Amino acid sequence: AQKVTQAQTEISVVEKEDVTLDCVYETRDTTYYLFWYKQPPSGELVFLIRRNSFDEQNEISGRYSWNFQKSTSSFNFTITASQVVDSAVYFCALLKTGANNLFFGTGTRLTVIP
Amino acid sequence: NAGVTQTPKFRILKIGQSMTLQCTQDMNHNYMYWYRQDPGMGLKLIYYSVGAGITDKGEVPNGYNVSRSTTEDFPLRLELAAPSQTSVYFCASSYKGPPSGADTQYFGPGTRLTVL
């Protein structure tokens, strides 16, 4: 069975602080994909990143970075120098290879205070 | 490209009424999906389609029906609406899926449905 846990329900930071959103997953499969999506207050879901289970390289995209560690089944997301526009709910999701169902965590609501 | 579009954005239904949520994508994606998002929760898959004429159930299909007559459109039908179907509904599409491989699912803006 697949499971994604985002233990941080809500986080508040002051603008320009760094923040890390945690994601822990469970799967018995050896090949799978991990995703992060952003849901701003307007409600749409915005794709941020996809990572397959064979690629443990960390990735950086501007102020965003992702740390994938298979040994701890974690795929954490860090925002550097946070901005008010980063305020959103962030979802981590898991897709088993060969399946159609994205398993979502319950999300972390990030509030960046100006 | 408009991407994935959904109509309506909001709807209020009375118990027992029926309605169709519309979803259209212009990215020529083969795979399309319907998810629901309940308050404070992640999304759960209702139905998906791997191509025109082919659909299958997801995790929570009861109370819903789908059809896929074209590559672009994937409507979701609610028959006999119930309060438990109050949710936000998201349509998504991807270029390819299993068994050829996984691809990123791109989501529409959602439809907020309330059943009273």
Side-chain angles (χ1 to χ4, degrees), chain A residues 39 42-45, chain B residues 6 8-11 21 34-44 46 64 76 84-91 107-114:
Chain A
Q39 187 174 42
S42 50
E44 73 273 23
L45 276 165
Chain B
Q6 293 182 237
K9 288 189 176 181
F10 304 94
R11 183 72 185 267
L21 282 67
W34 275 104
Y35 289 86
R36 60 177 285 172
Q37 182 185 25
D38 297 327
M41 304 294 289
L43 282 68
K44 292 190 175 180
I46 305 172
Y64 306 95
L76 177 72
S84 61
Q85 294 178 305
T86 294
S87 191
V88 180
Y89 291 84
F90 287 95
C91 180
F107 286 80
T111 294
R112 186 176 295 275
L113 175 68
T114 302

Side-chain angles (χ1 to χ4, degrees), chain A residues 60-79:
Chain A
I60 298 174
S61 176
R63 296 184 297 107
Y64 295 172
S65 62
W66 291 269
N67 184 309
F68 176 30
Q69 292 195 335
K70 284 182 79 170
S71 60
T72 56
S73 297
S74 65
F75 186 41
N76 297 337
F77 173 29
T78 297
I79 302 174

Side-chain angles (χ1 to χ4, degrees), chain A residues 1 3 30 34 39 43 68 76 101:
Chain A
K3 186 178 179 182
T30 55
L34 294 164
Q39 187 174 42
F68 176 30
N76 297 337
N101 196 358

